Amino acid sequence: MHLRSLLHAALSVAALAGPCSAVAADALGEVARLHRAGDDTAALKGADDYLSAHPKDAQMRFLKAVILGDAMRSAEAAVVLEKLTEDYPDLAEPYNNLAALYASTGNYPKARSALEQALRLKPGYAVAHANLGDLYAALAAQSYAAALRLDPTLDGIAAKLAQVRQVAAPRSASPAASAAAPASAPR
């Protein structure tokens, strides 16, 4: 299962968490550039250096979580995002990214709860709606697979399982699901 989490959402968090100074914007831009260039070690060092002086900066903390998640350091990313939701409970983006992390480990109940919270906070959050649909498709696949194991003679279950697996299969990055969105468009 693949839920969408977005790098540029980190740059949008500022609009929700408070104004962004030129210094913060420069630091975010540099860390994001390093991450896009594939230098996650330098990106994380830049994020940590900035956060040592500005520990409550929501944007940089979110960006650090995205980098950690992309670097397959999901447990560390989840800790950063969970703390971010505690400090900034009105931000929807950290909940969406937490859901992606929870779903990647098969913790669908926590993923659903995080997505539902994101949507309570931001009802028009298209990415979270799409992620919730993907999550329900994954849950349907689990249920159909269990039904098929229990009774392989059930009519139509194999076809339904194949259909829902096709819907729930990871997609290649599309413009809507990639980090190519402009920073001015909160996701």
Side-chain angles (χ1 to χ4, degrees):
M1 171 162 177
H2 178 266
L3 296 184
R4 299 158 188 89
S5 62
L6 300 172
L7 170 61
H8 276 72
L11 304 177
S12 305
V13 171
L16 303 172
C20 184
S21 72
V23 172
D26 288 347
L28 278 169
E30 178 60 12
V31 170
R33 183 192 67 74
L34 289 166
H35 177 57
R36 282 190 306 270
D39 193 351
D40 289 342
T41 301
L44 287 170
K45 182 181 181 332
D48 287 338
D49 290 349
Y50 182 81
L51 288 170
S52 69
H54 307 86
K56 291 291 185 182
D57 187 287
Q59 286 181 290
M60 189 63 80
R61 290 166 63 189
F62 185 89
L63 181 53
K64 178 180 178 179
V66 169
I67 295 166
L68 288 167
D70 288 349
M72 304 311 217
R73 295 167 60 180
S74 298
E76 293 170 80
V79 169
V80 172
L81 290 168
E82 287 166 353
K83 183 67 173 139
L84 197 53
T85 64
E86 291 170 14
D87 293 344
Y88 298 96
D90 294 335
L91 296 178
E93 291 79 2
Y95 288 103
N96 178 69
N97 283 45
L98 269 173
L101 293 172
Y102 294 151
S104 72
T105 63
N107 192 338
Y108 295 155
K110 280 183 89 170
R112 187 183 73 227
S113 178
L115 286 168
E116 288 171 349
Q117 180 61 21
L119 291 169
R120 275 191 291 279
L121 294 169
K122 194 173 178 180
Y125 194 180
V127 172
H129 278 287
N131 284 341
L132 190 57
D134 289 346
L135 180 64
Y136 286 139
L139 288 168
Q142 275 186 341
S143 291
Y144 288 140
L148 203 54
R149 275 192 310 275
L150 294 169
D151 185 354
T153 66
L154 284 175
D155 285 341
I157 297 299
K160 287 181 182 182
L161 178 59
Q163 285 180 317
V164 78
R165 282 185 173 160
Q166 183 177 9
V167 169
R171 297 166 298 283
S172 62
S174 68
S178 72
S184 61
R187 307 273 258 176

